């Protein structure tokens, strides 16, 4: 999956994991550590697009250091 060509309001944790080549467990760990904001819709966890973009920007910044 490519974040630049894939845009929607909310992402599932497995989609975020695929976008960043990390495990679903890591996504949940980031949520639990409050490093990634998420909401619950019914029993499902969803991550807002702004958070996905923020994570992308943060990763890009750390790579450029």
């Amino acid at each position: 999956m490519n974040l630049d060509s894939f845009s929607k309001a909310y992402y599932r944790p497995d989609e975020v994991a695929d976008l960043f080549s990390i495990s679903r467990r890591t996504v949940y760990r980031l949520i639990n550590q409050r490093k990634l904001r998420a909401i619950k819709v019914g029993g499902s966890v969803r991550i807002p697009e702004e958070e996905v973009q923020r994570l992308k920007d943060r990763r890009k910044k750390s790579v450029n250091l």
Side-chain angles (χ1 to χ4, degrees):
M1 269 185 218
N2 181 352
L3 183 60
D4 297 325
S5 64
F6 189 76
S7 183
K8 57 185 184 177
Y10 293 93
Y11 293 84
R12 295 185 321 262
D14 64 306
E15 292 174 321
V16 174
D18 287 344
L19 286 170
F20 293 100
S21 299
I22 59 178
S23 70
R24 256 185 33 221
R25 185 176 179 170
T26 299
V27 173
Y28 282 106
R29 189 177 307 122
L30 291 170
I31 292 167
N32 288 334
Q33 293 172 347
R34 301 190 188 276
K35 293 181 179 179
L36 186 63
R37 188 173 57 89
I39 62 169
K40 272 207 164 183
V41 179
S44 301
V45 173
R46 295 294 182 260
I47 298 130
E49 189 275 332
E50 306 85 46
E51 285 296 294
V52 174
Q53 187 62 47
R54 188 177 64 78
L55 184 59
K56 179 183 175 190
D57 294 343
R58 194 168 77 202
R59 285 180 62 125
K60 196 181 285 186
K61 191 180 291 184
S62 69
V63 169
N64 291 330
L65 291 178

